[in-house]
């Protein structure tokens, strides 16, 4: 038996609670993991609260990330006692996820823990940091370098944004951080932001083509914000889109694509080729500075705290990354 957050939906309604679960309810096939840490992402908060249809069936354990130790594996790539992590791959959506003390996960989604990281640090990075690195790599594949100009990061005080600001500044880019929380300016500057942008200048309906300001951008917001970012890119500019905190619509124009030749890149962190996944995690282990990782990581919470913290996260009251000690 083990502890888990279990989300259920029936005639009585939608609810999440901390429960004791028997091992026979875990998936029958996969690698068995003794979970040490999970995380609380925006998607997890939506699943736990029922604010969006994240979970595909019920009952289900939410949590799209986990890190822990292999207990049992029939896959030769993983042995008992291996330290591993997994992000995405249907966890917390169609498969039982990481907000539990035990998990059985698909071997194809597992990554060996890089030696430069411990399990807590891996979850301080989590899907949010992994997504930020995939976005950085996408910008690089388009040929973007620090010499091209400023990079804008939207939703900068959130998990993806915080890691993106840190990574980009370490790589030599001049970073502008867009946020609706002016009280977080000092925090973002400590991560490496050279400029703070009021999100209210971006999140309303704008012109099809605006004054060119950015060589590139990482956007975790979507909707009018993404449309305005596209409209204000320089010629040949590129934006990596990886979130929809404002909305999943794109009320934009083809004007910047045709008249400035910009590129819009979609980032799918849930299912990623193994070589790209391994490279992203190795780069995170070596390029994300430990002092910045500590700064963007909030206090570690226990399983029982995930439900109230989910409400705070969706209300925009949580900055950076939330690590969950599932055994606390």
């Amino acid at each position: 038996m083990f502890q888990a957050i279990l989300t259920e939906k029936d005639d009585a309604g939608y609810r999440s609670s901390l429960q004791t679960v028997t091992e026979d309810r875990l998936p029958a096939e996969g690698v068995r993991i003794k979970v040490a840490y999970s995380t609380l992402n925006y998607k997890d908060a939506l699943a736990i609260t029922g604010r969006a249809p994240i979970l595909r069936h019920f009952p289900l354990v939410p949590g799209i990330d986990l890190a822990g130790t292999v207990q049992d594996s029939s896959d030769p790539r993983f042995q008992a006692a291996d330290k591993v992590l997994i992000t995405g791959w249907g966890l917390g959506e169609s498969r039982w996820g990481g907000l539990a003390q035990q998990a059985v996960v698909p071997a194809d989604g597992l990554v060996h823990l890089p030696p430069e990281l411990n399990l807590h640090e891996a979850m301080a990075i989590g899907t949010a940091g992994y997504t930020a690195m995939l976005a950085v790599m996408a910008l690089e594949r388009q040929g973007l370098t620090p010499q091209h100009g400023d990079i804008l990061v939207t939703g900068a005080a959130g998990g993806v944004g915080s890691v993106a600001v840190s990574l980009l500044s370490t790589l030599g880019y001049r970073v502008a951080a867009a946020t609706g929380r002016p009280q977080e300016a000092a925090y973002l500057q400590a991560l490496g932001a050279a400029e703070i942008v009021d999100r209210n200048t971006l999140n309303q309906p704008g012109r099809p083509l605006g004054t060119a300001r950015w060589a590139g951008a990482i956007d975790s917001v979507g909707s009018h914000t993404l449309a305005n970012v596209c409209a204000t890119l320089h010629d040949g500019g590129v934006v990596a889109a990886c979130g929809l905190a404002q909305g999943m619509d794109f009320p934009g124009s083809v004007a910047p694509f045709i008249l400035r030749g910009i590129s819009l890149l979609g980032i799918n962190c849930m299912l990623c080729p193994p070589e790209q996944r391994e490279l992203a995690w190795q780069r995170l282990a070596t390029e994300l500075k430990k002092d910045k990782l500590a700064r963007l990581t909030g206090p570690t919470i226990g399983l029982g705290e995930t439900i109230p913290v989910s409400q705070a996260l969706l209300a925009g009251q949580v900055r950076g990354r939330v690590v969950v000690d599932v055994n606390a």
Side-chain angles (χ1 to χ4, degrees):
M1 301 178 74
F2 60 94
Q3 295 288 297
I5 297 295
L6 196 64
T7 302
E8 301 171 279
K9 184 180 181 182
D10 53 29
D11 292 342
Y14 187 107
R15 60 194 179 277
S16 296
S17 60
L18 179 62
Q19 296 190 27
T20 299
V21 180
T22 55
E23 293 184 11
D24 60 2
R25 299 186 69 179
L26 287 169
E29 297 183 358
V31 180
R32 183 178 294 271
I33 308 293
K34 178 177 174 55
V35 183
Y37 298 99
S38 185
T39 66
L40 193 63
N41 298 286
Y42 191 83
K43 181 181 284 188
D44 301 323
L46 290 172
I48 288 170
T49 62
R51 290 268 295 273
I54 302 298
L55 305 184
R56 308 292 174 81
H57 59 84
F58 300 88
L60 201 73
V61 174
I64 62 175
D65 297 344
L66 67 83
T69 304
V70 174
Q71 289 184 297
D72 181 63
S73 172
S74 59
D75 190 293
R77 291 171 292 179
F78 301 97
Q79 308 297 322
D82 283 354
K83 304 296 183 185
V84 294
L85 64 95
I86 183 171
T87 60
W89 286 84
L91 267 67
E93 294 183 74
S94 58
R95 304 175 187 270
W96 278 39
L99 291 174
Q101 294 172 331
Q102 292 192 40
V104 174
V105 303
D108 285 345
L110 277 175
V111 175
H112 285 100
L113 183 74
E116 298 87 352
L117 296 174
N118 60 40
L119 293 172
H120 185 277
E121 290 167 339
M123 288 297 93
I125 296 170
T127 284
Y130 170 57
T131 301
M133 178 53 84
L134 290 178
V136 170
M137 291 165 60
L139 296 180
E140 292 174 339
R141 286 195 298 272
Q142 288 294 111
L144 198 67
T145 69
Q147 288 68 43
H148 285 94
D150 293 358
I151 304 296
L152 177 69
V153 175
T154 66
V160 174
S162 292
V163 179
V165 169
S166 178
L167 284 170
L168 289 166
S169 64
T170 298
L171 292 170
Y173 293 89
R174 185 181 186 276
V175 183
T179 181
R181 293 181 263 175
Q183 69 274 19
E184 303 293 7
Y187 161 74
L188 291 167
Q189 289 164 344
L191 293 181
E195 178 184 351
I196 306 300
V197 176
D198 184 349
R199 76 174 176 200
N200 291 322
T201 63
L202 296 167
N203 64 7
Q204 302 300 316
R207 299 167 57 190
L209 203 63
T211 301
R213 298 187 62 187
W214 323 110
I218 294 176
D219 174 67
S220 60
V221 179
S223 192
H224 291 292
T225 297
L226 177 56
N228 286 322
V229 170
C230 289
T232 52
L233 289 176
H234 287 296
D235 288 354
V238 56
V239 55
C242 56
L244 41 73
Q246 185 180 5
M248 66 192 311
D249 57 324
F250 180 62
S253 165
V254 298
F257 297 92
I258 295 172
L259 299 179
R260 291 182 181 163
I262 73 162
S263 299
L264 175 59
L265 310 177
I267 306 301
N268 178 5
C269 66
M270 293 295 103
L271 294 172
C272 192
E275 62 278 3
Q276 190 174 7
R277 189 169 67 248
E278 295 281 352
L279 175 59
W281 275 102
Q282 190 54 54
R283 289 190 61 178
L284 284 162
T286 56
E287 296 176 16
L288 183 57
K289 302 302 182 185
K290 292 294 184 74
D291 60 332
K292 290 185 177 181
L293 179 59
R295 186 173 283 116
L296 62 84
T297 306
T300 301
I301 65 173
L303 270 179
E305 298 173 86
T306 56
I307 296 171
V309 175
S310 292
Q311 298 283 0
L313 194 159
L314 295 179
Q317 298 168 352
V318 175
R319 77 178 185 191
R321 299 287 295 128
V322 179
V323 178
V324 181
D325 182 346
V326 301
N327 298 296

